[in-house]
Amino acid sequence: MTGKICSLFIAVGALLIGLQSVEAAYCNGSPDPGERTNPYPIFEDELRHIRSVKNAMLFEAGPANATFPVVHLWGTPYEVGYAQGELIGPVIKDFVYKTWAYLSTEMLEELDNLDIPEIAKRMIVQKGLDRALDWTRDTTAAFTPQAYFDEVRGLADSTGIDYDLLYRVQMFPELTKAHCSFFGAWNHSVAKSDHSYQLRALDFDTTGPFKDFPQVTIYHPSEGHAYAQVGWPGNVGTLSGFSDQQLAISEIGVTYPDDSFGQGTDNTPPEKVHGEPWMFVLRDVLQFSDSLESGIQRITDANRTCNLIIGLGDGQENMVNGIEYSGYVALPYNDENLQPVNETWHPKIDDVVYNGMDWLCPNYDTVLAQQLLKYHGSISEVNTIENILPTVQTGDLHAVVYDLTESLMHVSFCRRASADESEPHYAYERQFTRLHMKDIFAQEAPVV
């Protein structure tokens, strides 16, 4: 069982017994010594249309050995939920049922190894996962826009999946977060003048069903801006994404904070749980913000919960900020006030902002900094994919390299269970696909 999934069940147990403390410490692990390369050229081709229904279209992208769906949705929250279910209902069912079975099985198999009281173990066996995720739903409900409930209702109505089960699957990222990496580069650090790039590397479970259900979902909402999110079928929140306003999102779950977060350490209160789920906040940013400044303001004004690092880039301004995100603080930073401050393992780099795997994570920050300094002045999507990612070894489940200025997304996903085992395993090792987001956002709704 992976450490990431184990962290879910530790969090579940903590919720049930009211324990939410995190020791101030440094993260574990590090990239393998030496440098590595990804030899595969960026794949680029027309999207292949598969089928259409009212308010939805399904396309296929990617090379033959690594295809993935691109799903377009139009309408109100309920309409887009219903349309996605009508378009790919069997896939959504397969993902939801396999995910729930996987999480439940993993929990039961590892229960004896969890350091929690016996009474809590019994509660988990009887009602634990359901109760923990329903508890998360209930504590965030007052802060959650109605749109999210409506979209899940649309999914439930068109697929026949139980609404409560669908919503539980939406809630598990609020408990787990993920260890990930991000950087933004602009101005004199990049290869092209007046250009900016951003990385979103998702490091999460690669043994369960998540790797088998990659999806890029394009929303054309009745209110707000069009945006894309990289994730899974039926997932209504945003893990990674890009909007037609040239705004991009990256996210890192923080397991090793310091006291500046104002919560979750030995010297601070527990992490807040009453607020809007972080994946919904990030989606709100893409849908309703039109600039870096307005995106930061939306995050600042949100009712936030857990400890995160957010990367927010703006291709019109050619600027990327990191944001220290918690229930108590929302502090943006860039190359001039890079956070956390540590010149030994997290040095400032002109026109670059970055964090590797966590807040206090010297082993990954050091290697990421070395790579960014090595390619400083020539950073591009090509050397990010060919050199930086495989050397830092980040982005195992999926990786997205945004060309913010040209509105391009370069995406790669972990090898599916059904794929040839001789192929590279992790997303950062595999062939990336270039998506031309201006053209994708311009797609017209189907007439059916």
Side-chain angles (χ1 to χ4, degrees):
M1 172 169 142
T2 68
K4 284 103 172 180
I5 292 299
C6 185
S7 70
L8 167 63
F9 305 124
I10 292 172
V12 169
L15 283 170
L16 290 174
I17 60 177
L19 299 175
Q20 288 188 324
S21 63
V22 179
E23 286 195 20
Y26 293 107
C27 76
N28 301 312
S30 64
D32 294 334
E35 295 186 332
R36 288 153 292 278
T37 59
N38 180 334
Y40 302 103
I42 296 170
F43 179 84
E44 189 168 10
D45 201 356
E46 294 291 327
L47 300 185
R48 302 171 288 280
H49 178 249
I50 306 300
R51 65 186 297 255
S52 299
V53 299
K54 183 180 179 181
N55 292 325
M57 299 179 75
L58 173 62
F59 291 83
E60 184 180 68
N65 68 328
T67 61
F68 58 90
V70 177
V71 172
H72 284 264
L73 304 171
W74 286 265
T76 65
Y78 180 86
E79 288 171 341
V80 299
Y82 193 94
Q84 184 172 184
E86 188 175 15
L87 185 72
I88 58 166
V91 177
I92 297 173
K93 286 183 177 181
D94 201 20
F95 171 71
V96 169
Y97 294 144
K98 285 182 176 178
T99 297
W100 190 252
Y102 176 70
L103 295 177
S104 301
T105 301
E106 287 291 297
M107 177 185 65
L108 293 175
E109 287 179 353
E110 292 296 316
L111 197 58
D112 288 341
N113 298 324
L114 298 181
D115 185 21
I116 59 176
E118 288 300 320
I119 187 172
K121 291 182 180 181
R122 290 195 296 271
M123 291 175 67
I124 291 173
V125 168
Q126 295 168 6
K127 300 178 181 179
L129 196 54
D130 297 32
R131 177 172 292 182
L133 294 172
D134 289 347
W135 182 90
T136 302
R137 176 200 62 203
D138 294 343
T139 56
T140 60
F143 307 93
T144 299
Q146 183 62 37
Y148 295 98
F149 300 111
D150 292 346
E151 185 172 346
V152 175
R153 176 59 64 189
L155 283 163
D157 287 351
S158 59
T159 63
I161 303 172
D162 178 72
Y163 173 88
D164 290 334
L165 176 59
L166 268 171
Y167 207 90
R168 287 174 193 138
V169 173
Q170 309 299 329
M171 288 293 96
F172 88 86
E174 181 72 9
L175 294 180
T176 59
K177 300 179 281 187
H179 293 289
C180 314
S181 301
F182 111 95
F183 76 74
W186 62 91
N187 201 14
H188 300 299
S189 69
V190 301
K192 297 179 183 178
S193 61
D194 299 321
H195 234 73
S196 54
Y197 297 94
Q198 184 173 334
L199 166 69
R200 194 287 193 252
L202 174 61
D203 295 279
F204 193 57
D205 174 77
T206 59
T207 61
F210 307 104
K211 68 183 181 303
D212 296 319
F213 295 90
Q215 181 169 302
V216 176
T217 308
I218 315 298
Y219 282 81
H220 307 266
S222 56
E223 295 183 1
H225 306 293
Y227 61 95
Q229 56 190 44
V230 183
W232 308 294
N235 181 46
V236 305
T238 296
L239 287 159
S240 315
F242 187 77
S243 79
D244 66 0
Q245 302 300 295
Q246 296 173 258
L247 296 181
I249 285 290
S250 307
E251 174 271 338
I252 302 173
V254 174
T255 304
Y256 297 92
D258 57 30
D259 290 349
S260 66
F261 281 82
Q263 62 178 29
T265 68
D266 289 343
N267 303 317
T268 60
E271 292 185 59
K272 283 187 176 180
V273 294
H274 293 85
E276 184 176 354
W278 64 265
M279 290 181 69
F280 297 173
V281 173
L282 299 189
R283 172 171 153 172
D284 293 345
V285 169
L286 292 179
Q287 184 173 353
F288 297 111
S289 302
D290 58 10
S291 66
L292 179 63
E293 181 181 5
S294 64
I296 291 172
Q297 191 61 52
R298 179 166 287 275
I299 290 173
T300 301
D301 293 342
N303 290 292
R304 301 173 306 278
T305 56
C306 55
N307 292 337
L308 303 171
I309 301 166
I310 304 302
L312 181 59
D314 183 343
Q316 298 183 68
E317 188 177 337
N318 283 325
M319 175 58 67
V320 184
N321 275 194
I323 302 170
E324 182 181 3
Y325 178 112
S326 81
Y328 293 90
V329 301
L331 300 176
Y333 55 91
N334 53 32
D335 59 326
E336 295 180 356
N337 63 333
L338 185 68
Q339 299 295 318
V341 176
N342 190 298
E343 288 299 324
T344 301
W345 50 262
H346 196 222
K348 291 181 180 178
I349 303 174
D350 288 344
D351 302 325
V352 174
V353 62
Y354 69 100
N355 297 92
M357 288 294 191
D358 211 305
W359 187 254
L360 300 177
C361 201
N363 292 337
Y364 278 95
D365 271 336
T366 297
V367 177
L368 181 55
Q370 290 170 348
Q371 288 294 299
L372 292 169
L373 286 167
K374 178 177 180 177
Y375 294 100
H376 195 269
S378 63
I379 293 172
S380 69
E381 74 276 25
V382 174
N383 53 35
T384 297
I385 291 168
E386 288 185 357
N387 306 101
I388 297 174
L389 278 170
T391 295
V392 181
Q393 294 179 311
T394 185
D396 56 12
L397 187 58
H398 79 230
V400 187
V401 180
Y402 307 100
D403 180 333
L404 300 172
T405 309
E406 297 294 332
S407 293
L408 302 173
M409 284 203 324
H410 307 86
V411 299
S412 179
F413 299 95
C414 183
R415 186 184 71 208
R416 289 182 174 94
S418 60
D420 189 329
E421 292 186 1
S422 66
E423 294 181 10
H425 186 194
Y426 298 123
Y428 62 77
E429 303 172 310
R430 297 175 61 78
Q431 189 167 22
F432 280 69
T433 296
R434 175 176 288 144
L435 299 176
H436 291 259
M437 300 311 297
K438 288 181 181 179
D439 294 338
I440 287 174
F441 289 135
Q443 176 66 50
E444 293 185 357
V447 178
V448 294

